[in-house]
Amino acid sequence: MMIKENISLKSLNTFGIDVSAKQFAHFNSVDQLHELLEFNTRPTTNDQQPTLILGGGSNILFTKDFDGLVLKNELVGIKEIKEDVHHVYVQAGAGVNWHHFVLHCIHNGWAGVENLSLIPGNVGASPMQNIGAYGVEIKDVFFSLEAFHIPDKKIVHFTLNDCEFGYRESVFKRKFRNEFVITGVTYRLNRIPEYNTSYGAIEQELEKMGVKQLSIQAVSQAVINIRSSKLPDPAVIGNAGSFFKNPEINNNQFSMLKAQFPDAVGHPLPNGNVKLAAGWLIEQAGWKGYRKGDAGCHEKQALVLVNYGHAKGRDIYNLSEEILQSVKKKFGVGLEREVNIV
Ligand code: FAD
Ligand code: EPU
């Protein structure tokens, strides 16, 4: 176990922002994590210094160097822990790559995560913001997790209810921000698939692929095809997926918006409100394809902000602020950032 000094984080965040960590270490066991946190004090004052847990770096925008200890989570391993007539309970280490986990499930015939194929990042961050895509969220397959409580230095177990999952939300993102290190997650997967192909272009893509017999492999491949055609690959252009959340407004507000902008895109929610497509709002406000220096708004997906090469985190952040204000001015709708700003 080694703590390194002044390490560049450029290759460790999908925006490709060139910042450094004052201190940096990997951990691949809870004991190592414990030890690293134990000695995480500033050399001169002996005060506890800030800690950042890093997974795949695919939902972070670094706006400055990190003046503390960055801990890269490398807790690996996937194991089936129990099963019953309908379900298989599978535990994965927080450092397992998410898409690797999805492929492992598909290979074993465990259903439930196929719609979440190709989401970047690691298992440990999946409950952070209740990752979701194509009509499925982590909460639909989540069973429990274990997390290391930094102040008390002990492992705590969380059930589904404890996590208070919402749309791109959980207790870890707000209430307990920076308090816990998620070390492992247990998912409850289905032995018999319950296909969810109603969202967006999945049906269309399955037809295009010539699929006659639905399978979890086919749904996964359809999702992979759609995502690859729409979302920029971070290995080519730096980005962190959707930069903002899709905002929720009430039905009256939506009617007023529709009266002024008949093409406004919104989906009714079970609570009677409407979820607006932030990508539509941003595109209509004129930002799609916009570029200032190396910071830009993607030409195919306006909800994705990109780094064309040497943008600073501040450039991306400032662009997001301009977008936020112009959408507010044009539509009276406030956007909220999805990406974690550090
Ligand atoms: P990181 O970016 O490393 O961390 C994110 C946050 O979680 C940070 O605050 C970090 O400190 C914290 N964290 C990470 N690991 C732990 C841990 N073990 N314990 C405690 N805190 C931790 N998201 C979706 O929901 N749906 C999508 O469809 C989607 N598509 C994307 C497409 C692209 C091209 C990209 C680049 C991103 C996309 N995302 C999507 C966002 C991102 O992939 C997810 O949020 C993912 O879960 C982040 O995982 P990570 O390991 O990279 O987290
Ligand atoms: N749209 C536009 N212009 C654009 C982009 C989108 O008008 O430039 C409109 C279109 O009408 C489209 C609608 O927005 O029908 C929705 O677009 P899309 O299906 O691409 O989904 P999204 O709302 O942009 C959300 C998630 C994604 C997730 C997809 C699929 C959020 C913030 N984003 O994107 O998650 O993969 O749906 O389920 O909820 C992420 O969180 O990082 C992410 C990529």
Side-chain angles (χ1 to χ4, degrees), residues 53 55-59 73 120-122 125 128-129 131-132 168 182 227 241:
I53 308 300
S58 64
N59 206 24
N73 173 359
N122 292 351
M128 255 313 266
Q129 66 153 13
I131 57 167
R168 300 292 191 272
I182 296 166
R227 293 181 67 96

Side-chain angles (χ1 to χ4, degrees), residues 133-199:
Y134 299 96
V136 174
E137 291 180 331
I138 275 298
K139 69 169 176 46
D140 304 326
V141 289
F142 180 90
F143 184 67
S144 65
L145 66 74
E146 292 81 51
F148 188 84
H149 189 233
I150 299 175
D152 292 349
K153 304 206 168 41
K154 62 172 195 199
I155 289 282
V156 179
H157 295 265
F158 286 78
T159 63
L160 178 65
N161 281 343
D162 297 334
C163 294
E164 296 176 21
F165 288 125
Y167 166 57
R168 300 292 191 272
E169 282 297 342
S170 76
V171 285
F172 304 103
K173 199 162 177 179
R174 294 208 187 270
K175 193 155 93 186
F176 297 144
R177 189 165 190 87
N178 297 330
E179 265 189 58
F180 286 94
V181 182
I182 296 166
T183 53
V185 184
T186 302
Y187 303 93
R188 194 179 71 158
L189 301 157
N190 299 323
R191 288 175 170 286
I192 299 165
E194 290 166 15
Y195 296 110
N196 186 336
T197 59
S198 55
Y199 189 98

Side-chain angles (χ1 to χ4, degrees), residues 58-59 119 129 132-135 167-168 199-200 227 230-231 240-246 265 267 275-281 283-284 288 298-304 338:
S58 64
N59 206 24
I119 297 181
Q129 66 153 13
Y134 299 96
Y167 166 57
R168 300 292 191 272
Y199 189 98
R227 293 181 67 96
K230 275 193 179 182
L231 290 164
S242 301
F243 199 89
F244 301 98
K245 292 185 187 182
N246 286 321
V265 181
H267 298 287
K275 195 186 267 186
L276 288 178
W280 185 88
L281 297 170
E283 179 174 350
Q284 297 305 311
K288 195 170 184 171
H298 194 243
E299 56 193 9
K300 285 197 204 155
Q301 229 300 358
L303 198 44
V304 178
E338 179 196 297

Side-chain angles (χ1 to χ4, degrees), residues 12-51:
L12 298 175
N13 71 98
T14 59
F15 255 124
I17 303 294
D18 196 5
V19 288
S20 62
K22 192 163 141 239
Q23 294 193 319
F24 180 90
H26 300 261
F27 63 93
N28 54 29
S29 72
V30 173
D31 286 346
Q32 277 187 357
L33 170 67
H34 195 154
E35 213 174 310
L36 283 161
L37 291 169
E38 199 72 59
F39 297 106
N40 183 28
T41 48
R42 292 195 186 279
T44 43
T45 59
N46 230 21
D47 292 342
Q48 194 76 20
Q49 65 173 352
T51 311

